[in-house]
Amino acid sequence: MTELPLDQVRTLLAVVDEGTFDAAAAALHVTPSAVSQRVKALEQRTGRVLLVRTKPVRPTESGEVVVRFARQLARLERDARAELGLSGAGEATRVSVAVNADSLATWFLEVLTRVPQEPRLCFELRREDESRTATLLREGLVMAAVTSSPDAVAGCSVRSLGRMRYLAAASPEFAERHLGGSLREALVRAPVMAFDRSDDLQDAFVRRLLHSRTGASAVRHHVPTSEGFLASVVAGLGWGLIPETQAEPYLADGRLVQLAPDRPVDVPLYWQQWKLDSPALVAVTEAVTAAASGTLRR
Amino acid sequence: MTELPLDQVRTLLAVVDEGTFDAAAAALHVTPSAVSQRVKALEQRTGRVLLVRTKPVRPTESGEVVVRFARQLARLERDARAELGLSGAGEATRVSVAVNADSLATWFLEVLTRVPQEPRLCFELRREDESRTATLLREGLVMAAVTSSPDAVAGCSVRSLGRMRYLAAASPEFAERHLGGSLREALVRAPVMAFDRSDDLQDAFVRRLLHSRTGASAVRHHVPTSEGFLASVVAGLGWGLIPETQAEPYLADGRLVQLAPDRPVDVPLYWQQWKLDSPALVAVTEAVTAAASGTLRR
């Protein structure tokens, strides 16, 4: 890569983060025309268009590469300043992490309490489907993510966290009413829960169980929080796949019944992080692997 | 409005929902060129560009008006078919509703269990900040929403649901460590929780308390689930504003302490819905107002 003037790189990042050239100028305490000139100079130097001039602006594919570089640069600089004791009082290292909702509702909460007081850090958690967290990594919007993919995003290392087990469950009344006869017949007709439109877990379960191409029923409720999803199944709105750690107390006292005890669904989870020698990121990674190993299956 | 050919309107909706002309063609069982011709014909008839040809396509501002009309049309048609007994077995009315996370974690869950079995309906809940739910209504992506704004979106009716009360709270150890001296001094320095980047609740609280323009501390953790937010405050990661119904058991047994008992924060909530004579929407509205009146303050 041609050498990139760091003030131009920082300016590009400010424009992307602030959304407009004017807002970036205000944040950087320079004139809007200085911002515009720096971005143009960087585009000439790289020979690429880096920004789509929409409102707010968006980085192009090439722009995303520079933005990711800018964020990593900012991170290294903050770490170096912290090690040199140059951080001001109250300054903490920001660690942005993308996590899927079910992890956030179960084992990941422990991470928040496991991280040591030093180095001081701020968590910036983003909730995203585990199949989409890799996109946030690729765009440099987070520096680490819980993903469902073992394929390392460019510039990232990847390690296995274990498998999150889901159990097909329903309330006893629901099971009685809808699933009295054949389970296979009933699963394609009985109301089903889904997290949101992109939640394919229930459909995939039915397809595997029936060796068919049709998924679960079209009578489908979308409840996009992990706890709301669980509460809806307990209330008898539909059947659904529930993380075993969430389901266990309800199965134990009979508020839920398992529909196919011999058919758990295991979703492998991975931890992907920028390849950066950052003390804050190391501390978070240690807390994540410790919390995962206590809850997820090997 | 000039009369709009309904097949063209439906085609536009399919393109927006499916994201591409090809996918819309597959869904409608017609050729991609038929889809393209219908959209062009509709644009000529309305004299407006209706779609931005990105991937996926996006409706223009004029396009959004037609899309909302298309969704309302589809709804009326489904209701009429249901009343005529023409719905197939297993067909239920889809009711899409945008709800803010704290409502979804507290009083709104009851709605799911309050809705009667008839008319049969599917909930499609979308989780969105209460100040942004109005946008989803405006774009026709939901037919009702819990909003923080009393200003009716075009084509919608609005009613007050009551006020959601938040209490500033922290763990006893956190309060001891960070808030030992003056509350005012401490609140701008002690680590603070936020839901996400657009969560202004804590900052607004500090600004009001201190009559200042600076908000809460820059040492700030983002945890974007209602339950995770609560767990983080209980774990001592930061202080934060917590819905009183969630906070009460923790305050009662001492796992949380209130920071400014005389300064609760009340957020008024409203129910906005399409002006449509739909039995499903009426049933949901009744369940929503009943659940809200049991939990929210008048």
Side-chain angles (χ1 to χ4, degrees):
Chain A
M1 202 186 268
T2 322
E3 199 171 290
L4 298 175
L6 298 186
D7 64 320
Q8 295 174 10
V9 169
R10 279 205 197 91
T11 302
L12 185 83
L13 180 62
V15 175
V16 169
D17 280 347
E18 302 294 329
T20 65
F21 283 69
D22 286 354
L28 296 172
H29 306 292
V30 298
T31 62
S33 89
V35 169
S36 168
Q37 278 164 23
R38 287 185 202 165
V39 171
K40 267 191 215 131
L42 191 58
E43 290 186 323
Q44 275 163 6
R45 184 174 280 262
T46 55
R48 311 279 170 85
V49 177
L50 299 174
L51 288 181
V52 186
R53 268 72 170 178
T54 44
K55 266 202 174 181
V57 300
R58 284 183 300 111
T60 60
E61 212 163 300
S62 302
E64 280 174 5
V65 175
V66 180
V67 166
R68 188 170 62 221
F69 166 63
R71 289 195 205 280
Q72 294 180 327
L73 174 75
R75 150 81 15 179
L76 288 173
E77 193 186 351
R78 270 200 302 274
D79 285 345
R81 284 173 59 215
E83 280 187 58
L84 292 168
L86 298 177
S87 299
E91 249 186 272
T93 310
R94 182 159 294 282
V95 178
S96 50
V97 179
V99 188
N100 62 311
D102 285 335
S103 289
L104 198 44
T106 55
W107 64 274
F108 201 89
L109 283 181
E110 204 188 313
V111 173
L112 303 175
T113 61
R114 266 184 183 271
V115 167
Q117 296 284 321
E118 293 298 334
R120 279 185 81 185
L121 51 86
C122 296
F123 273 108
E124 180 165 342
L125 300 187
R126 309 253 313 224
R127 197 189 74 145
E128 199 62 68
D129 189 271
E130 66 270 23
S131 60
R132 281 177 295 183
T133 48
T135 310
L136 295 182
L137 262 183
R138 201 170 300 121
E139 292 175 357
L141 291 171
V142 295
M143 55 186 66
V146 175
T147 72
S148 61
S149 165
D151 304 328
V153 168
C156 290
S157 67
V158 54
R159 70 178 73 192
S160 169
L161 289 173
R163 292 170 290 119
M164 184 126 173
R165 174 157 289 189
Y166 290 82
L167 307 175
S171 74
E173 299 73 30
F174 182 92
E176 173 82 26
R177 179 154 35 103
H178 291 285
L179 309 169
S182 142
L183 176 65
R184 286 154 190 268
E185 273 297 293
L187 280 185
V188 297
R189 269 209 273 274
V192 63
M193 301 299 307
F195 192 80
D196 56 23
R197 285 194 184 197
S198 65
D199 176 8
D200 185 46
L201 208 57
Q202 281 70 218
D203 284 321
F205 173 77
V206 170
R207 283 196 299 269
R208 254 196 321 276
L209 198 70
L210 308 191
H211 307 290
S212 79
R213 287 172 58 193
T214 32
S217 168
V219 184
R220 160 173 321 217
H221 304 283
H222 293 178
V223 178
T225 70
S226 199
E227 294 81 1
F229 187 101
L230 171 63
S232 303
V233 173
V234 171
L237 218 62
W239 69 273
L241 284 154
I242 297 175
E244 76 180 329
T245 47
Q246 279 184 322
E248 267 162 3
Y250 293 86
L251 292 169
D253 66 13
R255 279 177 293 168
L256 285 180
V257 293
Q258 270 207 64
L259 300 185
D262 53 334
R263 296 293 192 106
V265 174
D266 286 350
V267 175
L269 295 176
Y270 301 87
W271 178 248
Q272 297 213 26
Q273 59 171 109
W274 288 353
K275 283 184 192 149
L276 267 191
D277 194 16
S278 159
L281 201 48
V282 169
V284 172
T285 298
E286 276 170 12
V288 165
T289 47
S293 75
T295 315
L296 299 178
R297 293 182 170 249
R298 294 273 65 168
Chain B
M1 201 186 268
T2 323
E3 199 170 292
L4 298 175
L6 297 185
D7 63 321
Q8 296 174 9
V9 169
R10 279 204 197 94
T11 302
L12 185 83
L13 179 63
V15 175
V16 169
D17 280 346
E18 302 292 329
T20 64
F21 283 68
D22 286 353
L28 296 172
H29 306 293
V30 298
T31 63
S33 91
V35 170
S36 169
Q37 279 165 21
R38 286 185 202 164
V39 172
K40 265 190 216 133
L42 191 58
E43 289 186 321
Q44 275 164 6
R45 183 174 280 260
T46 56
R48 310 279 170 84
V49 176
L50 299 174
L51 288 181
V52 187
R53 267 69 170 179
T54 45
K55 269 205 169 177
V57 299
R58 284 183 299 112
T60 61
E61 214 164 298
S62 302
E64 280 174 6
V65 175
V66 181
V67 166
R68 188 169 63 221
F69 166 62
R71 289 195 206 280
Q72 294 181 325
L73 174 75
R75 151 81 13 180
L76 289 173
E77 195 186 351
R78 270 200 302 273
D79 284 345
R81 285 172 58 214
E83 280 187 57
L84 292 168
L86 297 178
S87 300
E91 249 186 274
T93 310
R94 180 160 295 282
V95 178
S96 50
V97 179
V99 188
N100 62 311
D102 286 334
S103 289
L104 198 45
T106 55
W107 64 274
F108 202 89
L109 282 181
E110 203 187 313
V111 174
L112 303 174
T113 61
R114 265 182 183 272
V115 166
Q117 295 284 323
E118 293 296 333
R120 280 185 80 186
L121 50 86
C122 296
F123 274 109
E124 180 165 342
L125 300 187
R126 309 252 314 222
R127 197 189 74 145
E128 198 63 68
D129 188 89
E130 65 269 24
S131 60
R132 282 177 294 183
T133 47
T135 310
L136 295 182
L137 262 183
R138 201 169 301 120
E139 292 176 356
L141 290 171
V142 296
M143 55 186 66
V146 175
T147 72
S148 61
S149 166
D151 304 327
V153 169
C156 289
S157 66
V158 54
R159 70 178 72 192
S160 169
L161 289 173
R163 293 170 292 117
M164 183 126 173
R165 174 157 288 189
Y166 290 81
L167 307 175
S171 73
E173 299 73 29
F174 182 93
E176 173 82 26
R177 177 153 38 102
H178 292 283
L179 309 169
S182 142
L183 177 65
R184 285 153 191 270
E185 273 296 293
L187 281 185
V188 297
R189 270 210 272 275
V192 62
M193 302 298 308
F195 193 80
D196 56 24
R197 287 194 183 199
S198 64
D199 176 8
D200 185 46
L201 208 57
Q202 281 71 217
D203 284 321
F205 173 76
V206 170
R207 282 195 300 267
R208 255 196 320 276
L209 198 70
L210 308 191
H211 306 291
S212 80
R213 287 173 58 193
T214 33
S217 167
V219 184
R220 162 174 316 218
H221 303 284
H222 293 179
V223 178
T225 69
S226 198
E227 295 81 2
F229 188 100
L230 171 64
S232 303
V233 174
V234 172
L237 218 62
W239 69 273
L241 285 154
I242 298 176
E244 78 180 328
T245 47
Q246 278 184 322
E248 265 161 3
Y250 293 86
L251 293 169
D253 66 13
R255 279 176 293 168
L256 285 180
V257 293
Q258 270 207 66
L259 302 185
D262 54 335
R263 295 294 193 106
V265 174
D266 286 349
V267 175
L269 295 177
Y270 302 87
W271 178 248
Q272 298 214 25
Q273 59 170 110
W274 287 354
K275 283 183 192 149
L276 266 191
D277 194 16
S278 158
L281 202 47
V282 169
V284 171
T285 297
E286 277 170 12
V288 164
T289 46
S293 74
T295 315
L296 299 178
R297 290 179 172 253
R298 294 273 64 166

